[in-house]
Amino acid sequence: MGRVLPIVVAIALLVYALIDCLQTDSARFRSLNRFIWVAIIVLIPLVGPLLWLAIGKAREQRRPVPPPSRPVAPDDDPEFLRQLRDIDTKHEKMLGEWEADLRRREQRMRGTDKPADEPMTEQERKDAELRKREDESRHGSDDDDDPR
């Protein structure tokens, strides 16, 4: 076992260096071309692969890469929050306009110019109740198919 281990290590180193040399881009070779480096790796056992790994190819200059900018969460983004406030304001304004329009239509239907906020008089209540009963009786007579 003690005699086989150095041979196995030398062969593994040779295979690794040979594959690395064959897969390395030509622009990264130092001073010698690919053919000469393959010859050195194969013909000079143990030293050839070590030379290739030590000085055969130019190492990449690893520059510190700044971390990618992370997107801002919506609740931390002031622009997004401003847009939400603007949308809420527009919706509130639109809702107010719809309510005012509804009040005007109700007043027109009642035939009064009185604001809808004022309480109804006794006579107005009686009239409204009478209209409600008439509407219910009209709707009730149309339901001939009703199983009740």
Side-chain angles (χ1 to χ4, degrees):
M1 180 72 177
R3 294 181 191 170
V4 178
L5 188 61
I7 296 171
V8 172
V9 171
I11 291 174
L13 190 60
L14 177 120
V15 170
Y16 177 78
L18 189 60
I19 291 172
D20 189 40
C21 179
L22 293 174
Q23 288 183 347
T24 301
D25 185 30
S26 301
R28 292 187 57 202
F29 281 93
R30 286 191 184 171
S31 67
L32 303 174
N33 63 19
R34 185 183 315 262
F35 178 74
I36 296 173
W37 274 113
V38 169
I40 291 172
I41 292 170
V42 172
L43 296 176
I44 307 173
L46 200 59
V47 175
L50 291 175
L51 283 173
W52 166 252
L53 294 175
I55 62 171
K57 62 180 177 178
R59 302 283 179 230
E60 292 181 30
Q61 293 293 329
R62 301 229 177 207
R63 296 182 187 139
V65 178
S69 62
R70 292 178 36 195
V72 178
D75 57 343
D76 293 337
D77 186 4
E79 178 64 23
F80 179 76
L81 295 173
R82 186 190 60 76
Q83 289 174 353
L84 286 180
R85 281 191 299 273
D86 291 347
I87 290 171
D88 285 346
T89 305
K90 288 178 186 175
H91 285 170
E92 288 294 325
K93 181 180 176 185
M94 188 176 6
L95 184 61
E97 290 172 359
W98 287 352
E99 288 175 348
D101 185 45
L102 182 61
R103 282 190 206 104
R104 281 192 300 271
R105 288 181 183 187
E106 286 176 347
Q107 288 173 0
R108 237 183 288 137
M109 285 179 65
R110 287 186 191 138
T112 63
D113 293 332
K114 182 171 63 169
D117 296 343
E118 289 184 16
M120 296 172 69
T121 63
E122 188 64 33
Q123 183 60 36
E124 289 173 336
R125 267 192 224 119
K126 288 178 183 176
D127 291 342
E129 192 172 318
L130 181 62
R131 278 188 298 238
K132 182 178 176 184
R133 283 188 202 143
E134 289 173 358
D135 287 342
E136 288 173 354
S137 66
R138 268 189 252 136
H139 290 297
S141 64
D142 291 341
D143 294 339
D144 293 335
D145 297 332
D146 193 11
R148 285 188 255 162

